[in-house]
Each structure stands twice: as structure tokens, then as C-alpha cells.
Amino acid sequence: MSHVSEPASARVSVPLLQQWKAEGRRIVMVTAYDAATARIADPVVDVILVGDSVGNVCLGFDNTLPVSMAMMNHHVEAVARTKPRALLVADMPYLSFHLGVEETLRNAGGFLQRGAAAVKLEGGAKRADRVRALVDCEIPVMGHLGLTPQSVNVMGGFKVQGRAADAAVQLLEDALRLEEAGCFALVLEGIPSEVAARMTETLRIPTIGIGAGPRCSGQVLVFHDVLGLVQGHKAKFVRTYVDGYGVLQTALSRWAEDVRGGSFPGPEESYRLPEAAREAVSAWQAPAPE
């Protein structure tokens, strides 16, 4: 059987990320939840994560716990249809990898069948068996340590993790266990920058920080946070580069004014009939009511 594939350099791959780690090249990762945001992000970033943060950002939930596999499949499929150059990583939602290895493999494998190139799951050394099982089935795994949002109830809220000496050491040990289990990269969220730096210099695999300081192998933020599309509380680690909410609302307000004032649509937004058809429409008479 013959096949046509893209050039090896066309898409970002797991081995390429690990090469960049060795070379010291910083990795840029962003979330995207649909085709529109993926098309905006893809020319700019190296990794697109379809995160379960879609629950907070797009679906109106208070946290990520209500996000289901059906919801995630829907969003992964939407992003995958754009055929991104960036490495496409799908987030394993709550309960998708907690009920046994078989269920974990089924859910993660479904992501790959829908177009993802890798999956991400939260948790430390206790997830090592899941990671090994996934890697044994040729499913690349990105780990996630520190402030893991699916553990919000255990943590008592969204709080920085690893500030105490024993907790910081536990994070370092968890990182080693996940690397040994086969993770190709780790997301480090909400941990002291010194802990993240120590991990990054110790591990062979890349670290992607979000609230973990500047010395990680790369950084990730939510698309909507970077572009200022969400109002309300902003995490300390977020840097917003444009008031997207204000810009879009202003544009929408201008359109609403044009509609109410009768200037939209104008001739340039309207279709016209050919001359002969216009004459026929002008000559047409509605039948008299019986």
C-alpha cells in the first residue's frame, strides 16, 4: 500500500519537542477549543491543547469536573478538522482515566482516532501505571503536575502547590516517576518557580509552565486569557495582550447601531436581481383574496 504524507518538517512532533528541549529552544503552547481559534493559533504556536478548561472558559461551569468525554470529543474533532501544524494534544477529563486501564486506553485511543497526536492527564506517581499502559499502546502522554484543576476539592480551591519543603520534594519525585513511566513532557501549573526550575534542569523531557516561572522549557496559556476575551478574576500568571472583550463588544455595538439606524445592510451587503428578473418581480401582482 502506498500513501502520501506531509514532509517530516511540516508538523510539530513529540521527538521535535524533545529535540528543542535539548537545544534550549522555548516551546509555545496554547489552548484552543474550536476550529476558529485553532486557525488563529496554529501559525504562531508549537502545541495546541484542547483543554478540559473548555468547561470554565466556554461552557459556563465553575470548574473542569463536569466536562465529559463526549464534550471533549466534540471539541477535539473541531480542532482536528483544521489539520494543525502544531502538535495537537487532547486533555483527559475527570473520570476518563480513573476507572481502570481499559477505560483509559479506550478514551485516549478515541482521541487519537479523532485526530489528536497525544493526550494529557493530571496527577503524579499514582498515574504512572496509566501512563505506562498508554505508552505501551503507542499513545504519547503529556503529564500535568502542581495545581491540577481536577483535584480542586482535595486542594480546597485553586491554590499554589509545592510551597512546603515536603510538598516541593514530592513534586520533584513525581516528575521523575512520570518521566520514567514514559511521559514525553510535563505541564507544571501553579508551583514555585524554584521548584519548576529544578525539575526542568533535572528532567530530560520538556516542561511547560503555567504559573511556574520563566525557567521551564516552554509556556502555556489559555487562548481567551492571552486575548482578553473573558472578564472577571484573572490569575496572577496570566498576561493579557489585548482587550479582546472590549474590542469585540465595541464592534458588535457598532453593528447593532447600524441595524437600528437602517444603514445595515447597504448595497455592498445586498444581492441584486438581473434586469429581466427585476422587471418580472416589479410586474408581479399578488392575487386578490377570495
Side-chain angles (χ1 to χ4, degrees), residues 7 15 46 90 97 101 117 138 140 150 191 205 219 226 245-246 250 253:
D46 306 311
F97 58 96
V101 170
E138 290 73 50
Q150 292 173 16
I191 66 174
I205 60 176
Q219 298 291 327
V226 176
Y245 187 98
T250 297
S253 296

Side-chain angles (χ1 to χ4, degrees), residues 2-18:
S2 63
H3 66 277
V4 178
S5 60
E6 294 184 72
S9 60
R11 289 192 173 189
V12 178
S13 65
V14 167
L16 185 57
L17 292 182
Q18 294 175 331

Side-chain angles (χ1 to χ4, degrees), residues 165-271:
D166 58 344
V169 170
Q170 184 62 59
L171 284 172
L172 293 169
E173 292 177 350
D174 280 342
L176 286 175
R177 299 294 85 76
L178 290 175
E179 180 180 61
E180 290 168 358
C183 283
F184 72 87
L186 294 182
V187 169
L188 308 179
E189 180 171 359
I191 66 174
S193 57
E194 298 91 341
V195 179
R198 188 75 176 111
M199 280 189 199
T200 303
E201 69 186 20
T202 302
L203 300 175
R204 299 184 304 277
I205 60 176
T207 58
I208 311 295
I210 176 167
R215 293 173 60 188
C216 297
S217 310
Q219 298 291 327
V220 59
L221 281 179
V222 170
F223 180 97
H224 297 64
D225 286 339
V226 176
L227 300 184
L229 296 174
V230 180
Q231 286 195 315
H233 171 73
K234 184 175 72 172
K236 175 182 175 64
F237 55 73
V238 171
R239 182 181 295 179
T240 297
Y241 286 81
V242 64
D243 177 20
Y245 187 98
V247 169
L248 295 178
Q249 192 169 71
T250 297
L252 194 65
S253 296
R254 290 175 57 194
W255 171 71
E257 289 173 5
D258 287 349
V259 171
R260 294 179 180 122
S263 64
F264 178 89
E268 62 273 21
E269 292 97 16
S270 302
Y271 301 101

Side-chain angles (χ1 to χ4, degrees), residues 120-157:
K120 180 178 78 65
L121 58 79
E122 297 182 9
K126 64 182 178 181
R127 307 298 184 206
D129 65 329
R130 302 294 194 269
V131 174
R132 289 190 188 95
L134 290 166
V135 173
D136 284 347
C137 289
E138 290 73 50
I139 300 175
V141 182
M142 176 180 284
H144 185 161
L145 289 174
L147 197 172
T148 47
Q150 292 173 16
S151 303
V152 61
N153 291 322
V154 175
M155 294 176 176

